[in-house]
Amino acid sequence: MASKTRSRILLAGAILAAMTVGVITGIRLSPGPVGAGRAPSLRASHQPLAADEDRGTLQLALQTQDPPAPRGSSSRFPAQSSSGMFSFADVAERVTPAVVTVFSEKSFEGEENFFHRFLRPRDDAPRIQGHGSGFIIDSEGIVVTNNHVVDGAEELTVRLKDGREFTAEIVGRDPGTDVAVLRIDASGLPTLRLGNSDGIRVGDWVVAIGSPFRSVLEHTVTVGIISAKGRGNVGLADYEEFLQTDAAINPGNSGGPLVNLEGKVVGINTAIATRNGGNQGVSFAIPITFASSIIDRLLRDGKVTRAWLGVTIRDVTPELARDLGLARPEGVEIFQVHDGGPADRAGLREGDVVMAMDGAATERVAGFRNRVSLSRPGQTVELDILRDGRNRTVEAELGELTEEILAEVRGQAPQPPQAPEVLREDELGFELAEITPDMLMRYDLNPSLEGVVVVRVERNSLADEAGLEIGDVIRSVNRRRVQSLQEFEEIVDRLPSDRALDLRIKRGSRSLTIRLDRPS
């Protein structure tokens, strides 16, 4: 059962060394290997060459022309083929010539196998090879991909659809958004036009193209819809506002295009949420409208300079919205004003709620943070705020976010309350969390209690029918004491799949036992 409760978010690539994956908020995860773990001379789909093992978590006005629209095509429906059936073939034929495979290579820095060390020539240092995807946006050899595809690479090669290969150089890359721009020495290349991801709607068709798993599978075409927009706090980059799609994106697709049915790029394929390392219908792409500003700056300056307001912010919760008299949660609350920063000079205070910036409504932290960061340092912005129940307008001149400021802010900023780590039992219909000071206050628990607390019970689920309630503290499972989520999971994993769970519960001052029969 436990295997069904674990989810992972992976960058849409792989590396030849095993790596650790992290947490999607609300689901408890465990470390797991990604990649084949074979000899480093083999080629595999690419994850960042400098993988994030140290962090333990995994954290993208161009000279292009519109190709002629195929007959019968539109932005909402696939074209009708000669057989009378709807088909995506016109889009695929139009787009794939401008999609490339990006090969990367670097020296192997880990410990070598005994036989590899003594059987290879002395001057033949072991190498790690990987690959990802990309797409051409300028006929003179400009290629867009993900930063994690090229990060740490000592050699880069781009292979075109027609089989030609070119050595590539990095024009610029931005780890903050996971976008990179490459240049190859070629001309007269097919290109893709960048679309408007702001205008795409949930439910619109999209097509993903790339090189999943192995380079021999390059230019694989998959189809799906936009499942959601504005996904933030995924933990893949510093600045996130992903498109979510169910189009199949797999390791090696990183950096490839997500296009609409007009063949225009609406996203850069980047990552997947998965329980088994492969596609499970939850994939993420960087919106191209957001990425295009990054691309322009990388082409112009080779780097991205960001603006800074000087605040720590968090989303407005339903409880805060109710206290403020708002009809729904909207805006972002200022959690901290950094001394001497732009916000401090403008007179902003802790507890202010920013409702709009330059007339555009502020919905959530991710969108507001991205808008500020992509503004010009020195630019004056107009902020509509809610303070003490009154609407006010404040003007603030944005500063430049330097590495020194970033290091200082990260060192002094208090962390907003984090969502608790949660173990979800999908088949039984409940969620558990460990007992923290926040849980003690939320459910009025005795501080001496040991166990795990029930934080959600799905209506009409097996847990609901058995009488499990939110706030119950599970102290033992089948007479084995439980003190953490890991212990709960380990006990359940060791039980036969048809064995019922006998849960010893503390509910207020009462102790009781609840029997949960598991589905066969």
Side-chain angles (χ1 to χ4, degrees), residues 229-275:
K229 298 176 64 176
R231 292 297 198 206
N233 299 318
V234 178
L236 297 171
D238 291 336
Y239 301 91
E240 300 178 338
E241 205 168 2
F242 290 112
L243 299 174
Q244 180 183 324
T245 177
D246 66 351
I249 294 174
N250 286 291
N253 276 105
S254 281
L258 187 72
V259 304
N260 61 19
L261 296 189
E262 295 176 347
K264 296 180 180 179
V265 180
V266 295
I268 304 173
N269 300 323
T270 300
I272 57 177
T274 178
R275 290 180 172 135

Side-chain angles (χ1 to χ4, degrees), residues 437-502:
D438 178 61
M439 293 297 171
L440 291 175
M441 291 187 293
R442 183 180 302 181
Y443 298 114
D444 194 22
L445 303 177
N446 188 323
S448 64
L449 270 179
E450 293 182 346
V452 291
V453 62
V454 178
V455 295
R456 181 176 177 271
V457 178
E458 186 177 340
R459 186 176 301 176
N460 299 323
S461 65
L462 293 174
D464 187 29
E465 293 174 356
L468 201 63
E469 296 182 6
I470 294 174
D472 286 348
V473 175
I474 299 177
R475 306 187 67 186
S476 69
V477 179
N478 291 44
R479 294 172 297 283
R480 294 196 59 183
R481 189 173 64 172
V482 172
Q483 293 181 296
S484 66
L485 295 177
Q486 181 177 348
E487 287 184 355
F488 181 94
E489 192 171 25
E490 289 174 351
I491 293 170
V492 173
D493 281 350
R494 285 196 290 267
L495 292 174
S497 59
D498 59 349
R499 179 81 173 272
L501 304 184
D502 290 319

